[in-house]
């Protein structure tokens, strides 16, 4: 199995072509040994009789058609996993880079994973309180969900992701029953929590930000970091999210952890994929991205969820920056078709100084239905969600109208909506980066804001709830 | 069998040599792991094979075994309540056999239970002349559906023997002597190749609506039983919610739901919900009339291509029994993308946006399998197959090839609109863009079976909504005050139609299903409000606020919650509208 071949004939971009090979299989891992003895990893993209196309995970700089040796290792890319990975930092290709002790592997897993059988899944319905009103009430995060943050260059997506990682927890049944969250509660009780962080092509500062954030809050001891920074090889990024998710799957489904996976920045990942596709001269789909981008992204995003009979879960929060804030760009577009909603950050709100600049129009959590309401949060939750969003949308429309016609020409109802919209932005959406609001606090703010509107306009909340929570 | 072996592996595409005897679309077993594949191209001795399972760690030199058959589905009692992958492998059995919640490859499981005994009651008797499609007998498959065991479409002759009683699907239940003197054993289990439409005696013109319980669909843009419809929309606009709502509440007798390249959790949701939800027409669990095909986005891409054919062949089989069948495919864009991916790997000349040139003909071929038909067989049976495909256009742009090719062959277009979804107006179906070409065929049914005024009311509602969009442009420029009282009333009524009639909460059990008659009553009440208010607002110096703040409007808001069994409450509502408005007459 470990015959070394010296028959590399072509090197283009990250690709090598090796001739006269035998027993090479598709997706097989291989190791390239350069003339000076350094080694690099690659995988087989195409296996033909006597010929293989290999993609390196590192740069091909220094690879020569003569003097470079290549070995096929007889298996796909595998990762050694262990519970001891918690608290450790790895490179984007899975090498330890924190100077710590060598890891004692408990298991060796194929990084591509296998699709979860839909009939083995358990439907996610546990409310996660992030302490952020606009997420908790309007775009409820659910344990086992994949909920990306659609952002743009210069928007505070990293701060938001860090805040979610810092504050997210599941309420205890007692807290739900008492309708008050214990402000002192740590990530709850018997449950085991972990964060797996995968960075693809982010700057050194961004990687540092997360590292320090985890260190400062003591979260590092229950986090695993995979860092591929902008300075690291581009094609290595194709492996990074898969390493992170393989680790997460091991922790979740075999060790019973509730794992939050943060992947940033998916845009860099897709660009790496495009680079490889272009080097292979494949027929491109939209904007030069390969036609299989949807399928490829699905093999990442679908690795989230809960499995019947296993105690752990994987909640995924991928971050992507939309080129030119364009949500129809292939990367956010295909992501949106796979993930269970999206948290969309808005430049206009950011410029107004609103943090977090989460815009209700365009943000969505598809799984929120079963995580809102009695027994999960509070009975009035879903009505409040629909009412606030509809009212804010109307308020924004009125605001546009007022720009043209002047505020004085608005009807009384429209004026009420206008007032509602600006208070909603200031008091509900905006909150301090370190403010952890319980869901019950957030709902009361909502009821307070609805006082701006005449009661006949409240079509989405139940009259009984107005009586109980929104007394006038 | 000749010795064929792999010469190339690139993702789901495998090329093998030594395949000179292979036929197009023949099923083959690839490599030592015996992965399922299908021949899609032949070049002399070598064949291109699309493989329905993950090809990682497969290499040149490994064997390829021909099976001699084309890709087929198994048809017999036991299909209902099943959940299959794209090539009809039951997902529950895969789980049991793999002993893992993950789908590993190379697992062989039978599509239908071979040991379960079904109580077969013959309806034909020995000596009868039978042809393809004739019913031999019945099996109570679920409490909802009686399975009619039919003579295979290609067989005819004289029935020599037939046995009622408890049988497995492989037991011989009948023997038929064909005209050339051969005796053929008939089992309940039959097979049919998925890429070939099952034969029918005659297709007809659809003339009955598929009642869906969704107000905007039934009243404004109805689809016919046997029709074909498309739901295109950007992500987050509610394609899946609409499809699931159709699967739950439409009045077809059998539902085939195909999750093609979509989210795993969505299939899980259907699986966990349907056994507990009641069919509004019969009160039985919905699962008993449902077959699910789940090929999620992370499952092998080639099987996604096959999944829509697997689903529609099963649907045709139930149609042939004489049932009204509805098939939902979510999403056909993923199916088209799977074609594109295979086409790219075959290095075919691409058409628009990289899709293969045959995208249009394949799409048309799929939707043409819908229809209301005279089933084959000597007794008169009428069955229908309604096909509703979701389309996921990139960036929500309807001009892209999949949407355009779909619209050419479907007669109902339910356009989902992201802007409505942002405002939480659901179902987010745009009332100005959508259309139904069946409305005319169905007018007779509506006026006879529901109410005489049904069609006229629909037309009026549409005119009011169109007028609203024109008036809104004016309002945006000069404000509401510039409008005449009549126009202001139109705006008010349009708003009532949108918010109190079209808006519907699919997650609220009381609101999710509305009968045709109740839809008529709600809309009638709103239009009556308009008729009564018109003379009132045209009085000199009338204050519009008086109409806007009428207390009866609140009752109209909640009219959709009036229970189906006490529609007489609408009479009281109408009386109230009349009295409150006439009180404003000076």
């Amino acid at each position: 199995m470990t015959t070394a071949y010296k028959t590399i004939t072509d090197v283009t971009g990250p690709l090598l072509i090796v001739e006269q090979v035998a027993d090479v299989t598709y997706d097989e891992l291989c190791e390239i040994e350069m003339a000076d003895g350094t080694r690099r990893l690659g995988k087989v993209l195409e296996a033909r009789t006597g010929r293989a196309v290999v993609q390196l995970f590192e740069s091909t700089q220094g690879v020569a058609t003569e003097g470079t040796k290549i070995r096929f290792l007889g298996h796909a890319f595998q990762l050694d996993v262990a519970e001891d990975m918690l608290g450790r930092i790895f490179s984007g290709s899975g090498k330890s880079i924190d100077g710590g002790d060598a890891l004692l592997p408990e298991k060796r897993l194929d990084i591509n994973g296998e699709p979860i059988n839909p009939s083995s899944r358990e439907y996610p319905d546990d409310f996660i309180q992030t302490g952020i009103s606009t997420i908790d009430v309007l775009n409820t995060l659910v344990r086992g969900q994949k909920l990306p943050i659609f952002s743009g260059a210069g928007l505070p997506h990293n701060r938001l992701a860090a805040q979610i990682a810092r504050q997210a927890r599941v309420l205890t049944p007692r807290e739900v029953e008492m309708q008050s969250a214990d402000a002192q509660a740590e990530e709850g009780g018997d449950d085991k929590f972990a964060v797996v962080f995968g960075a693809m092509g982010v700057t050194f500062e961004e990687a540092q930000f997360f590292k320090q954030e985890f260190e400062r809050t003591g979260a590092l001891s229950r986090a695993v970091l995979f860092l591929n920074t902008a300075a690291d090889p581009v094609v290595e990024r194709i492996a990074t999210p898969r390493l992170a998710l393989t680790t997460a799957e091991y922790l979740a489904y075999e060790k019973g952890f509730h794992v939050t996976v943060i992947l940033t920045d998916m845009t860099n990942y897709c660009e790496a994929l495009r680079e490889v596709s272009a080097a292979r001269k494949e027929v491109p789909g939209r904007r030069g991205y390969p036609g299989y981008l949807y399928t490829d992204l699905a093999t990442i995003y679908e690795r989230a969820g809960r499995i019947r009979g296993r105690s752990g879960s994987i909640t995924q929060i991928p971050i992507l920056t939309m080129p030119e804030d364009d949500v129809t760009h292939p990367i956010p577009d295909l992501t949106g078709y796979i993930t269970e909603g999206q948290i969309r950050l808005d430049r206009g709100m950011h410029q107004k100084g609103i943090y977090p600049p989460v815009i209700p129009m365009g943000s969505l959590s598809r799984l929120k239905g079963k995580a809102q309401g009695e027994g999960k949060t509070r009975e009035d939750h879903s009505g409040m969600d629909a009412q606030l969003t509809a009212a804010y949308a109307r308020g924004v429309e009125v605001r546009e109208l007022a720009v043209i016609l002047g505020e004085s020409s608005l009807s009384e109802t429209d004026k009420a909506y206008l007032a509602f919209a600006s208070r909603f932005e200031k008091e509900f959406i905006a909150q301090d980066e370190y403010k952890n609001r319980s869901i019950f606090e957030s709902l009361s703010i909502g009821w307070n804001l609805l006082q701006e509107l005449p009661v006949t306009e409240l079509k989405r909340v139940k009259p009984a709830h107005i009586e109980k929570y929104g007394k006038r | 069998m000749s010795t064929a072996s792999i010469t190339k592996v690139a993702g789901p595409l495998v090329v093998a040599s030594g395949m000179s005897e292979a036929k197009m679309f023949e099923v083959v077993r690839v490599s030592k792991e015996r992965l399922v594949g299908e021949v899609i191209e032949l070049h002399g001795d070598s064949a291109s094979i699309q493989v329905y399972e993950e090809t990682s760690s497969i290499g040149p030199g490994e064997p390829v075994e021909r099976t001699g058959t084309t890709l087929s589905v198994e048809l017999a009692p036991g299909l209902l309540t099943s959940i299959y992958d794209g090539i009809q492998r039951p997902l529950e059995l895969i789980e049991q056999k793999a002993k893992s919640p993950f789908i590993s490859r190379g697992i062989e499981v039978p599509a239908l239970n071979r040991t379960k005994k079904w109580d077969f009651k013959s309806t034909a008797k020995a000596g009868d002349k039978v042809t393809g499609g004739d019913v031999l007998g019945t099996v109570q498959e679920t409490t909802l559906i009686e399975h009619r065991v039919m003579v295979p479409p290609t067989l005819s002759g004289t029935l020599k023997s037939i046995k009622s009683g408890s049988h497995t699907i492989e037991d011989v239940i009948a023997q038929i002597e064909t005209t050339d003197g051969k005796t053929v054993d008939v089992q309940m289990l039959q097979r049919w190749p998925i890429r070939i439409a099952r034969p029918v005696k005659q297709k007809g013109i659809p003339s009955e609506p598929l009642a869906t319980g969704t107000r905007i669909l039934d009243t404004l843009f109805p689809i016919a039983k046997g029709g074909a419809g498309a739901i295109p929309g950007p992500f987050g606009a509610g394609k899946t919610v609409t499809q699931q709502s159709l699967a739950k509440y439409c009045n077809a007798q059998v539902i085939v739901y195909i999750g093609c390249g979509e989210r795993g959790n969505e299939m899980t949701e259907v699986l966990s919900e349907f056994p507990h939800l009641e069919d509004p027409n019969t009160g039985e669990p919905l699962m008993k009339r449902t077959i699910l095909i789940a090929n999620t986005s992370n499952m092998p891409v080639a099987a996604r291509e096959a999944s829509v054919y697997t689903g529609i062949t099963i649907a045709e089989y139930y149609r042939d029994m004489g049932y009204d069948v509805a098939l939902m495919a979510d999403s056909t864009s993923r199916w088209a993308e799977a074609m594109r991916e295979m086409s790219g790997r075959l290095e075919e000349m691409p058409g628009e946006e990289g899709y293969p040139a045959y995208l249009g003909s394949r799409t048309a071929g799929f939707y043409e399998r819908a229809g209301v038909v005279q089933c084959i067989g000597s007794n008169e049976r009428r069955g229908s197959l309604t096909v509703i495909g979701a389309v996921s256009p990139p960036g929500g742009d309807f001009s892209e090839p999949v949407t355009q090719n779909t619209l050419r062959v479907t007669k109902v277009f339910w356009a989902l609109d992201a802007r409505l979804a942002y405002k939480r107006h659901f179902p987010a179906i745009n009332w100005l863009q959508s259309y139904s070409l069946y409305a005319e065929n169905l007018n007779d049914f509506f006026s006879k079976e529901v109410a005489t005024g049904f069609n006229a009311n629909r037309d009026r509602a549409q005119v009011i909504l169109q007028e609203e969009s024109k008036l809104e442009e004016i309002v945006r420029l000069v404000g509401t005050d510039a409008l005449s009282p009549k126009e202001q009333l139109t705006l008010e009524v349009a708003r009532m139609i949108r918010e109190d009639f079209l808006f519907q909460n699919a997650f609220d059990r009381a609101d999710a299903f509305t009968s045709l008659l109740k839809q008529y009553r709600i809309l009638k009440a709103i239009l009556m409000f308009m008729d009564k208010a018109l003379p009132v607002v045209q009085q000199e110096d009338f204050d519009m606020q008086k109409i806007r703040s009428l207390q009866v409007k609140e009752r109209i808001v909640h009219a959709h919650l009036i229970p189906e069994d006490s529609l007489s409450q609408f009479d009281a509502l109408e009386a109230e509208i009349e009295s409150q408005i006439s009180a404003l007459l000076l």
Side-chain angles (χ1 to χ4, degrees), chain B residues 422-567:
Chain B
Y422 290 167
K423 292 186 209 164
R424 298 292 191 268
H425 177 98
F426 289 110
I429 293 167
N430 185 309
W431 46 86
L432 298 175
Q433 245 182 321
S434 305
Y435 60 77
S436 163
L437 302 181
Y438 292 114
E440 228 157 274
N441 298 356
L442 301 175
N443 277 351
D444 259 4
F445 180 95
F446 285 125
S447 56
K448 283 200 191 104
E449 306 288 327
V450 189
T452 6
F454 192 94
N455 302 310
N457 282 358
R458 172 208 309 141
D459 296 345
R460 259 189 86 187
Q462 269 165 340
V463 170
I464 293 171
L465 290 169
Q466 272 156 14
E467 217 163 309
E468 181 196 30
S469 80
K470 276 185 225 148
L471 292 175
E472 269 183 343
E473 275 172 38
I474 301 176
V475 170
R476 237 168 271 140
L477 293 175
V478 289
T480 320
D481 294 341
L483 298 182
S484 73
K486 188 183 169 200
E487 288 168 332
Q488 292 193 37
L489 180 68
T490 305
L491 280 185
E492 195 58 34
V493 171
R495 195 170 152 209
M496 287 163 76
I497 294 177
R498 285 190 285 111
E499 294 182 1
D500 306 337
F501 181 69
L502 299 182
F503 174 82
Q504 192 168 359
N505 186 347
F507 298 106
D508 182 347
R509 293 296 295 277
D511 193 22
F513 175 84
T514 310
S515 69
L516 291 175
L517 187 58
K518 189 169 129 184
Q519 297 184 22
Y520 168 72
R521 294 302 299 259
I522 303 175
L523 189 56
K524 184 174 165 222
I526 295 173
L527 294 174
M528 182 183 161
F529 181 94
M530 184 170 195
D531 292 338
K532 298 292 170 198
L534 191 57
V536 175
V537 297
Q538 285 174 327
Q539 299 173 101
E540 208 156 315
D541 290 333
F542 182 77
D543 177 9
M544 282 303 288
Q545 200 56 37
K546 282 189 190 153
I547 280 285
R548 292 200 185 102
S549 55
L550 269 184
Q551 188 266 329
V552 75
K553 277 186 66 193
E554 195 158 335
R555 288 189 56 187
I556 299 177
V557 171
H558 299 295
H560 64 274
L561 294 175
I562 291 176
E564 292 286 349
D565 54 10
S566 41
L567 293 187

Side-chain angles (χ1 to χ4, degrees), chain A residues 24 26-27 47-49 114-115 117-118 120-121 294 302 333 336-340 366 370 397 405 457 459-460, chain B residues 7-9 11 56-58 60 91 95 101-103 236 261 263-265 268 273 334 393-395 423 477 499:
Chain A
V24 173
Y26 173 67
D27 212 28
R48 286 178 192 247
T49 316
E114 283 175 326
N117 189 325
S120 310
R121 278 182 185 268
Y294 177 84
E302 275 290 329
D333 190 51
Y337 277 121
I338 304 165
T339 54
E340 285 141 354
R366 288 167 190 271
K370 291 203 171 55
E397 266 180 20
L405 302 172
E457 291 294 316
K459 292 185 181 180
R460 309 283 169 90
Chain B
T7 55
K8 174 184 162 183
V9 186
S56 177
S57 302
I58 304 295
L91 287 173
E95 182 183 1
F102 298 96
I103 299 178
R263 305 175 183 90
N265 276 331
T268 311
E273 257 192 354
R334 307 297 162 228
K423 292 186 209 164
L477 293 175
E499 294 182 1

Side-chain angles (χ1 to χ4, degrees), chain B residues 571-582:
Chain B
D571 298 335
L573 175 65
E574 285 171 13
E576 187 68 30
I577 293 172
E578 179 144 27
S579 73
Q580 285 199 19
I581 297 182
S582 26

Side-chain angles (χ1 to χ4, degrees), chain B residues 202-485:
Chain B
Q202 203 183 1
K203 267 196 168 187
I205 300 291
S207 60
E208 226 180 274
L210 182 81
T212 66
T214 303
R215 296 189 284 267
I216 184 164
L217 304 187
D218 288 346
T219 301
L220 294 192
F221 312 108
I223 187 166
K225 281 181 179 164
I231 317 181
F235 63 83
K239 283 183 299 298
T240 302
V241 177
T242 310
Q243 288 273 40
Q244 288 190 2
S245 178
L246 288 170
K248 284 176 196 165
Y249 301 117
C250 82
N251 65 348
Q253 290 151 307
V254 175
I255 305 288
V256 178
Y257 192 96
I258 308 171
C260 174
E262 291 286 304
R263 305 175 183 90
N265 276 331
E266 275 167 8
M267 295 317 294
T268 311
E269 183 181 14
V270 174
L271 274 179
S272 62
E273 257 192 354
F274 275 35
H276 306 292
L277 282 177
E278 280 175 13
D279 177 354
N281 306 304
T282 59
E284 286 286 319
L286 278 173
M287 203 61 204
K288 298 201 167 179
R289 64 167 193 177
T290 310
I291 297 157
L292 295 172
I293 316 275
N295 199 83
T296 57
S297 56
N298 55 341
M299 284 156 77
V301 65
R304 208 185 286 167
E305 198 265 336
S307 67
V308 298
Y309 292 110
T310 300
I312 203 160
T313 310
I314 294 174
E316 283 175 338
Y317 176 64
Y318 280 92
R319 173 206 65 194
D320 288 349
M321 292 180 203
Y323 288 116
D324 290 320
V325 184
L327 175 135
M328 285 90 197
D330 182 17
S331 153
T332 58
S333 292
R334 307 297 162 228
W335 166 56
E337 281 165 11
M339 275 195 266
R340 173 168 73 181
E341 189 168 336
M342 290 316 297
S343 165
R345 301 222 189 234
L346 288 170
E347 293 169 9
E348 291 173 338
M349 181 68 79
E352 244 180 305
E353 292 193 20
Y355 285 103
Y358 45 79
L359 173 69
S361 55
R362 292 270 172 95
T363 310
F366 172 70
Y367 283 101
E368 265 305 285
R369 288 173 79 167
V372 43
V373 303
Q374 284 269 304
C375 306
I376 52 165
S378 28
N379 59 347
E380 288 290 303
R381 273 199 316 273
R382 193 197 134 277
S384 75
L385 170 52
T386 315
V387 175
I388 298 162
V391 184
S392 318
D397 171 13
F398 290 166
S399 68
E400 59 92 38
V402 182
T403 313
Q404 286 307 314
N405 278 305
T406 305
L407 290 182
R408 277 214 287 277
V409 286
T410 55
K411 295 179 90 177
V412 172
F413 173 47
W414 292 324
L416 289 168
D417 186 339
R419 275 167 309 169
L420 291 174
Y422 290 167
K423 292 186 209 164
R424 298 292 191 268
H425 177 98
F426 289 110
I429 293 167
N430 185 309
W431 46 86
L432 298 175
Q433 245 182 321
S434 305
Y435 60 77
S436 163
L437 302 181
Y438 292 114
E440 228 157 274
N441 298 356
L442 301 175
N443 277 351
D444 259 4
F445 180 95
F446 285 125
S447 56
K448 283 200 191 104
E449 306 288 327
V450 189
T452 6
F454 192 94
N455 302 310
N457 282 358
R458 172 208 309 141
D459 296 345
R460 259 189 86 187
Q462 269 165 340
V463 170
I464 293 171
L465 290 169
Q466 272 156 14
E467 217 163 309
E468 181 196 30
S469 80
K470 276 185 225 148
L471 292 175
E472 269 183 343
E473 275 172 38
I474 301 176
V475 170
R476 237 168 271 140
L477 293 175
V478 289
T480 320
D481 294 341
L483 298 182
S484 73

